[in-house]
Amino acid sequence: MIDTKNPREVAREALMQLSARKLLPTPANYQACYNEIARLPNVAGFPEAQLRQIVMALPVKNPKQKEGVEQLAIAVGKRSWQCVQQALIALATAETPATENGNVAPVPSSENTVPAFLGELLARLTRLIEDLLPALGDQDTWLSEQALELLQALKNQPADIPGLLVLLTGFSRRVSLAAEEQGEIRQTLLKLLHLIIENIGELTLDEECLQGQIDALVSAVAPPLSLRRLDDVERRLQDVIARQREAKERTLEAQEAMRQMLAAFLDQLSAMNQSSSAFQVSIEASAEQLATVRTIEDLTPLLKQVIDATRAMAEDTGYAHEQLAALQSRALATDAELFRLHQELHQASASARHDPLTDTLNRRGLDEALAREIAGVRRKEAPLCVSLLDIDNFKTFNDRLGHATGDEALIHLVQVVRQHLRPIDTLARYGGEEFVILMPDTAVAAGIEAMKRLQRELTRNFFLAGNEKILITFSAGVAQLTAEESGEDAIARADQAMYLAKRAGKNRVMGA
């Protein structure tokens, strides 16, 4: 038997056991073998790191608690369980408030504090379920009945807590299933919307003038969706449908006009044919009479008859030429009308709510979005920030690299900005290289920080012009809408702040 009092022999045997048992030479395995050979209890190591984390998390509300936490930290440093125990006892005593006579103050009765807290909790839970019901709809009768039963139980006094827990468990499971179903319905509706938009694109009479808007619609219905994006989709669909209806009506009118002209042309051809046939009959009759003429006196009436027939033929032919010329003129006018219609549709597409280059809102779309946001924030009494940004040195950029590269730079800027805007924010092209961003539920300080964040993102995303990396920067002004201010006035203030940022050195953001 090994002398357990000789640590050296115990350590050697512990190492041999590690090898014989094919155990990893970790401190824990070595300690287990050592304690087994020395017949010592295998106690886990002192968890100093974990205990220090606990010490750091303990709250300190008075000097006695601070002293107790410091004693506990010293005990952990000594790696002594006995000292830790004593420090915890002292800390627990320090947490109990004492009266001025040294006696322990009575703890407030739970009968007075718990019901008040529980009542507030139940009231908030009731409001939560009431607000949730409209979103769940009324198609699931069982869920509606369960919600009403739960609301009644929440309003009962005194509250049956065990019964409420059972009802809440069942209700939460049903709500989870309903939420999953609503998600599937939303995805299916999105697929159907995509199919409708693609079908409109297939059936459109003039793909060249409407295909751009169809592509924008497909992009607009890509998830994640928001109410603002759905509102934008609705307006775009209305524009596309209205223009397609107008194109169809005007085209049908042109087709009817062409049909009428073709019918008139055929009538004229028929009349000319009849006139030509009558002329031919008259000439043939005159030729037969000419064969029987013996004197000059007999030739005179025959000559008059031929002249009259020829004059009538010439008059009919002249009238027919006039009619055909009029028909030709009307056909050319109809063709010009169709061309003008196509041009108008192209112009309407370009002057819709979206900028054709960047697919951001244009001035018209911005005006509508601004009116909608102002109405919303004033109804909710929430802040609204308007930011106007202008790309720095854009004219020099255009002069050096050309307008086509400048357009690509604008598209690059929009792509970077869109990636880091919130779904509720709105981006619009205000001018050549100027853009406006509407930020609802945002105060001016947060708006300035958001614009600075966009500037940092642009420094991380260089614009590539061929093989050249170009850093695009912008200066911006941010204005928070005041109570009685119009959207145009807020933009004007943001514009003034932007010019101050330009004069201060560019690539800056200033508040108005």
Side-chain angles (χ1 to χ4, degrees):
M1 179 180 296
I2 297 176
D3 184 5
T4 57
K5 294 183 180 180
N6 188 339
R8 182 177 300 174
E9 294 296 330
V10 174
R12 183 182 296 110
E13 180 63 20
L15 291 174
M16 293 175 62
Q17 287 295 326
L18 282 175
S19 177
R21 298 178 184 179
K22 297 181 179 180
L23 298 174
L24 293 174
T26 62
N29 289 338
Y30 176 76
Q31 182 181 10
C33 291
Y34 186 97
N35 291 339
E36 179 183 347
I37 296 169
R39 298 178 182 177
L40 296 173
N42 189 23
V43 181
F46 190 85
E48 181 176 358
Q50 293 84 348
L51 287 176
R52 287 195 180 279
Q53 291 180 356
I54 294 174
V55 171
M56 294 295 294
L58 287 174
V60 177
K61 298 180 179 179
N62 54 57
K64 286 190 175 182
Q65 287 183 350
K66 181 179 180 182
E67 182 180 352
V69 170
E70 291 175 351
Q71 291 178 1
L72 181 58
I74 294 172
V76 172
K78 292 180 179 179
R79 304 174 66 87
S80 170
W81 283 111
Q82 183 177 3
C83 293
V84 169
Q85 180 180 359
Q86 293 174 353
L88 286 174
I89 293 173
L91 184 59
T93 305
E95 290 179 347
T96 305
T99 63
E100 59 183 13
N101 296 327
N103 298 323
V104 177
V107 179
S109 173
S110 61
E111 295 180 357
N112 297 327
T113 58
V114 174
F117 170 75
L118 182 60
E120 178 64 21
L121 177 62
L122 294 179
R124 291 177 181 268
L125 187 58
T126 300
R127 287 195 295 270
L128 174 63
I129 295 174
E130 289 174 344
D131 294 340
L132 182 63
L133 284 179
L136 298 176
D138 55 359
Q139 297 181 355
D140 193 335
T141 306
W142 190 87
L143 179 62
S144 300
E145 292 176 353
Q146 194 175 24
L148 293 176
E149 182 181 359
L150 178 58
L151 287 173
Q152 185 60 44
L154 286 169
K155 295 175 182 178
N156 288 338
Q157 296 296 332
D160 179 12
I161 302 301
L164 278 175
L165 289 176
V166 173
L167 290 174
L168 273 173
T169 301
F171 181 72
S172 63
R173 289 174 182 169
R174 191 70 182 184
V175 167
S176 177
L177 294 175
E180 292 179 3
E181 183 180 6
Q182 291 292 333
E184 294 177 0
I185 291 174
R186 184 169 60 251
Q187 293 298 324
T188 303
L189 287 175
L190 274 178
K191 292 179 182 178
L192 292 175
L193 185 56
H194 272 281
L195 289 175
I196 292 173
I197 294 171
E198 291 173 1
N199 188 47
I200 292 175
E202 293 293 332
L203 296 178
T204 183
L205 295 172
D206 186 0
E207 291 187 2
E208 185 180 355
C209 87
L210 292 180
Q211 191 59 47
Q213 287 195 335
I214 297 297
D215 294 340
L217 272 174
V218 173
S219 175
V221 297
L225 289 177
S226 64
L227 290 177
R228 284 176 174 80
R229 290 189 65 187
L230 288 175
D231 186 42
D232 183 43
V233 169
E234 180 184 2
R235 289 197 304 272
R236 289 193 183 208
L237 270 175
Q238 290 174 347
D239 282 346
V240 171
I241 293 171
R243 292 191 183 111
Q244 188 179 10
R245 184 184 300 115
E246 180 184 2
K248 182 177 180 181
E249 291 175 353
R250 300 291 291 275
T251 303
L252 290 176
E253 291 175 2
Q255 290 175 352
E256 178 62 20
M258 293 295 290
R259 188 191 66 78
Q260 293 177 1
M261 283 188 289
L262 181 59
F265 178 71
L266 292 176
D267 291 341
Q268 288 297 324
L269 285 179
S270 177
M272 288 179 65
N273 183 52
Q274 292 176 1
S275 177
S276 177
S277 298
F279 179 73
Q280 183 177 1
V281 170
S282 177
I283 294 299
E284 289 177 353
S286 297
E288 292 176 357
Q289 292 178 14
L290 183 62
T292 62
V293 170
R294 294 291 182 266
T295 65
I296 191 67
E297 288 81 5
D298 295 333
L299 185 60
T300 301
L302 181 60
L303 182 60
K304 183 178 182 300
Q305 181 180 350
V306 172
I307 293 174
D308 291 342
T310 303
R311 183 182 293 111
M313 180 62 184
E315 290 177 354
D316 290 343
T317 303
Y319 178 74
H321 276 296
E322 291 177 359
Q323 292 296 313
L324 289 177
L327 287 174
Q328 183 181 17
S329 176
R330 289 175 59 190
L332 292 175
T334 302
D335 186 64
E337 175 69 11
L338 286 175
F339 179 78
R340 187 184 64 81
L341 171 61
H342 291 169
Q343 291 296 108
E344 288 179 356
L345 288 176
H346 282 294
Q347 293 174 2
S349 178
S351 62
R353 294 176 176 85
H354 288 77
D355 174 57
L357 175 65
T358 61
D359 195 38
T360 60
L361 293 178
N362 59 12
R363 293 290 288 269
R364 176 184 173 188
L366 173 63
D367 291 341
E368 294 178 357
L370 190 57
R372 184 175 62 252
E373 293 295 349
I374 290 176
V377 298
R378 285 182 175 160
R379 184 175 61 254
K380 298 183 296 184
E381 297 183 355
L384 171 66
C385 262
V386 177
S387 175
L388 190 143
L389 66 89
D390 183 273
I391 299 178
D392 296 326
N393 306 314
F394 191 69
K395 183 179 184 303
T396 304
F397 184 96
N398 269 343
D399 293 341
R400 186 170 70 87
L401 298 174
H403 289 281
T405 306
D407 290 345
E408 293 175 2
L410 292 176
I411 295 172
H412 171 78
L413 170 74
V414 168
Q415 290 173 344
V416 174
V417 170
R418 274 180 169 161
Q419 289 174 1
H420 299 90
L421 284 181
R422 301 172 302 173
I424 63 174
D425 297 333
T426 300
L427 176 63
R429 188 177 182 186
Y430 193 67
E433 66 273 16
E434 291 182 331
F435 293 86
V436 168
I437 300 177
L438 307 181
M439 294 175 282
D441 302 326
T442 304
V444 65
I448 292 174
E449 182 57 36
M451 300 306 296
K452 290 181 178 179
R453 184 169 60 252
L454 292 179
Q455 288 179 326
R456 291 193 294 270
E457 293 299 334
L458 275 174
T459 61
R460 299 188 184 101
N461 294 271
F462 286 94
F463 170 66
L464 291 177
N467 296 324
E468 182 181 358
K469 286 185 176 180
I470 299 176
L471 175 62
I472 297 177
T473 64
F474 65 80
S475 302
V478 181
Q480 182 176 339
L481 187 76
T482 61
E484 302 299 329
E485 190 177 30
S486 68
E488 292 77 8
D489 291 340
I491 292 177
R493 289 196 296 116
D495 187 43
Q496 292 175 358
M498 182 270 293
Y499 277 109
L500 291 177
K502 290 275 189 185
R503 289 196 293 269
K506 301 181 180 179
N507 196 24
R508 285 172 167 79
V509 181
M510 287 194 175

